[in-house]
Each structure stands twice: as structure tokens, then as C-alpha cells.
Amino acid sequence: MAGPRVEVDGSIMEGGGQILRVSTALSCLLGLPLRVQKIRAGRSTPGLSSGGWKSKIKVLTRPQHLSGLEMIRDLCDGRLEGAEIGSTEITFTPEKIKGGIHTADTKTAGSVCLLMQVSMPCVLFAASPSELHLRGGTNAEMAPQIDYTVMVFKPIVEKFGFRFNCDIKTRGYYPKGGGEVIVRMSPVKQLNPINLIDRGCVTKIYGRAFVAGVLPFKVAKDMAAAAVRCIRKEIRDLYVNIQPVQEPKDQAFGNGNGIIIIAETSTGCLFAGSSLGKRGVNADKVGIEAAEMLLANLRHGGTVDEYLQDQLIVFMALANGVSRIKTGPVTLHTQTAIHFAEQIAKAKFIVRKSEDEEDASKDTYIIECQGIGMTNPNL
């Protein structure tokens, strides 16, 4: 099964969890032993100037990276060495991917959505159906909210030719986590390429503003109202339907508030803006932040928003044929995913400026990939 070992420098580009997620998933899928060295957060310390101040926090101090690696190891009965808090190097030797029930628990508010990102491509090529029990934060900072995964990521990623079911058992918020999501999916023989080039026009804007725990319902209503006001300034002719929601006590652990707003287009493209409440930040500000993020994602003329961009790269690399997506500025997360998909999977990517006339004044790009046509050996 094992081919030659792949050596990955964990300090380049995004220099964080993204490198671990992409490289271990591809290593698992392709049966390639992997060593990732120099695992450090390649991110500047927040608040300092860009004078080259690097954060010295080891990236593996984050429990969600650890639980993601352990999950991939368990999915394929692989061997994982060096995966402990504070480690700067891991080695991973994959075996055959198997289906069945797998559990990953960050034991913190570490994101269940990031656990899903690393495991989903692997279980598509498993021997039998899989059920993933993912525990941690469902609505966590620095990661997609579970609502984003269900409302935006799911309908678009299913265009590659598979289906999955995502059952939100309990929501969990920062800092305690305690959420649980169950993902069920069956394996596929191959993935189809996707072609997301035609943006269409925005036909609907909708969303949900939630409060959980001790927070008053008024906070949800205020977030929704502020977001609607902000969107109305720019988009006047569409009804904006943002539902305020009080999360049921038995389906949410801890206290939290947040909002997600989705824009849907005539060709089925989906964009989102989202924001989470923090102690001392007023509800209007949370709503406005999400609305402004959505509007920024609509201005660039792409067919995917900045958060979907990088999540599609691994699937494009594995698909059988040429995939194309149109995006706004290519994010560092996306550049990182492309780099490792080329290095490890040998997929071929071309990123070029969009030549469409209506995109001439905008920062719009086409990401094209000749996928490797990965075939499930078990089916």
C-alpha cells in the first residue's frame, strides 16, 4: 500500500492547521506515508505591525488539530507519531480506509466543521458507509459555523456527485464547546468535476440570528434588524428574511449568540456572511459585521465566497476531469490548499484573472483544476 514518504514543510504559506488537514487527508486517500515538519503557527501575532513578528505558538497546541489527526489515523488504522500538544513534527503512515462509526472529540470549543473538512474526502473513498460523531464547537471563532456547512458548503459540494446527512444533535459555543454533530455518508466510485462560472443574479437573501443559554431573545432580534438595515442600503429590491431564533435548552450547551446570512443566485450559487457575539460587543455590531461580510462577498463577481473557495480545492483535485470555479481574491488558505494538492496528489491547477467583461473592473479569478480521477478501490 505505502508509496514513498511525502515530506511537508509545515511553516510555509498559511503555516497552520490548513496544512495539516490537507496533507493528512491526501496522504490517507493516496496511501502515502507523510512527515510534516516545522509545525508552527505561521501567523503574525494579532495587533502587531506586519514587521515580521511571528507567533511562537506551536500549532499543535490546538486540540482540534490533534483530534483531526487522530480521526484520520482511526479512519484507516494508520500509524501516527509525534501527535501531542506542542509537537513540531508528525509522521503518519496510512492503511486502508474503512467505513463504520468514528468519533472525534476536541474536548473544547475546537470546531466540528474543521473535523468534518479533514475527514469527509477520506470517507468518500472508504470501503463502506460511515457515521462520524464529531464533538466540540458548532459555532466557533476562526472556523465555519455549522449553519454555513449545512446551508452553503453542503449543497455546493454535493455537485461533485455525493450526498451526506448532517444531524446537529447539540450546539456548542466558545469557550466550553460541548456540541455534537453526526455526519452520515456513503462512499462513491469517483467524484465528478464541477463548473461554477456563471454567477447569475441574487434572487434571495435569508438567514438566522440565534441566542442560546441565558442570553435574551431581544439580542437575536437586534442582530437580525441591524443586518437587514445594513443590507437594505445596498440591495433595495429584495426581501431580506432573517429569522431570530432562541435555541432550545436541550439542544444547546452553554451561552452564545451569532448570525448567518445567505444570498442565493438564479444559478444556484450561495454566499454567506456570519458573525459570532462576544462578551461586551453589542448585538447591532454583530449583525452589521455579518451583513458587511456578505456584501463584500457579493461585490467581487465570483460564484463562491471566500470561505467556500479553499474547501473545494481537495475535491477538485480528486475529481475525474476539469473543474472550474470563479472567485474573488484568492485567499492564503486557498493558495495553501492548492500548493499541497499539487505537491501530494499531483493535481494541476491554473489560477488566472477572469477575462469576462463584467469582471474587468473587479478582482475576479478563475481557479481551474485537472483532477487526478481518484477511484475508490473498494467499489
Side-chain angles (χ1 to χ4, degrees):
M1 169 89 181
R5 185 159 75 178
V6 178
E7 298 283 346
V8 161
D9 180 344
S11 68
I12 63 171
M13 304 179 83
E14 178 266 354
Q18 171 88 1
I19 294 176
L20 282 171
R21 283 192 294 278
V22 173
S23 56
T24 46
L26 290 172
S27 150
C28 176
L29 280 157
L30 299 163
L32 297 170
L34 172 77
R35 179 164 64 170
V36 185
Q37 290 174 288
K38 293 192 281 201
I39 299 170
R40 285 205 172 69
R43 302 195 178 94
S44 300
T45 313
L48 293 176
S49 71
S50 56
W53 287 61
K54 285 285 186 239
S55 156
K56 288 290 181 281
I57 305 161
K58 304 282 196 299
V59 74
L60 273 182
T61 50
R62 302 186 61 188
Q64 72 221 34
H65 299 139
L66 217 46
S67 36
L69 291 173
E70 288 164 351
M71 183 168 204
I72 293 289
R73 175 198 65 200
D74 297 346
L75 286 174
C76 68
D77 283 332
R79 271 205 330 280
L80 181 62
E81 287 148 53
E84 56 261 347
I85 300 268
S87 168
T88 58
E89 178 176 321
I90 60 131
T91 59
F92 173 54
T93 311
E95 294 295 335
K96 186 176 161 161
I97 305 171
K98 57 190 189 359
I101 296 175
H102 298 281
T103 300
D105 187 350
T106 65
K107 300 190 171 56
T108 63
S111 168
V112 295
C113 300
L114 296 180
L115 292 174
M116 203 186 298
Q117 265 181 43
V118 67
S119 53
M120 187 174 280
C122 301
V123 295
L124 279 174
F125 292 89
S128 62
S130 301
E131 190 173 292
L132 309 175
H133 293 240
L134 310 175
R135 299 190 183 118
T138 55
N139 300 73
E141 285 291 345
M142 307 299 290
Q145 294 191 43
I146 191 66
D147 308 270
Y148 182 92
T149 299
V150 173
M151 295 161 84
V152 177
F153 172 76
K154 183 180 190 294
I156 302 298
V157 84
E158 286 183 344
K159 293 178 190 290
F160 286 100
F162 66 91
R163 294 272 171 273
F164 72 94
N165 175 272
C166 182
D167 182 9
I168 305 167
K169 289 286 180 210
T170 317
R171 288 171 179 268
Y173 311 101
Y174 182 82
K176 291 182 183 161
E180 184 179 17
V181 172
I182 299 176
V183 178
R184 296 180 184 88
M185 58 200 300
S186 293
V188 291
K189 183 70 184 167
Q190 263 191 334
L191 294 176
N192 307 324
I194 62 168
N195 194 34
L196 294 181
I197 294 299
D198 182 8
R199 157 73 164 273
C201 53
V202 178
T203 53
K204 280 190 206 168
I205 299 178
Y206 50 91
R208 85 194 288 274
F210 71 86
V211 289
V214 299
L215 293 163
F217 187 55
K218 181 182 183 319
V219 170
K221 292 199 283 202
D222 289 350
M223 287 188 296
V228 171
R229 283 196 301 275
C230 182
I231 292 167
R232 283 268 160 74
K233 286 181 194 154
E234 204 156 315
I235 300 173
R236 293 188 182 83
D237 51 348
L238 277 182
Y239 174 62
V240 181
N241 180 17
I242 302 174
Q243 292 289 327
V245 179
Q246 172 82 57
E247 299 290 9
K249 288 271 187 284
D250 58 342
Q251 288 165 32
F253 182 79
N255 306 313
N257 67 300
I259 180 170
I260 179 162
I261 317 164
I262 315 281
E264 202 174 299
T265 76
S266 52
T267 55
C269 298
L270 296 162
F271 301 83
S274 65
S275 181
L276 288 169
K278 290 183 214 41
R279 199 174 290 245
V281 176
N282 83 22
D284 285 24
K285 197 170 172 188
V286 181
I288 289 165
E289 185 177 72
E292 284 177 344
M293 185 192 290
L294 175 67
L295 292 168
N297 272 313
L298 288 173
R299 282 180 204 122
H300 59 55
T303 58
V304 297
D305 65 31
E306 61 188 308
Y307 300 104
L308 194 58
Q309 215 185 81
D310 67 288
Q311 293 185 65
L312 298 179
I313 298 300
V314 168
F315 298 98
M316 291 168 74
L318 297 171
N320 183 29
V322 177
S323 291
R324 288 182 198 86
I325 59 174
K326 190 193 269 196
T327 74
V330 178
T331 66
L332 182 57
H333 267 94
T334 298
Q335 291 166 30
T336 304
I338 289 173
H339 175 85
F340 290 103
E342 291 190 319
Q343 182 193 338
I344 300 169
K346 306 291 185 257
K348 296 276 181 288
F349 282 85
I350 298 167
V351 180
R352 56 185 167 83
K353 196 104 171 56
S354 170
E355 283 149 20
D356 286 0
E357 282 170 31
E358 70 264 26
D359 297 332
S361 61
K362 299 184 187 129
D363 224 2
T364 316
Y365 298 84
I366 306 288
I367 302 176
E368 185 172 301
C369 173
Q370 175 66 57
I372 62 170
M374 171 95 186
T375 305
N376 191 334
N378 307 297
L379 297 185

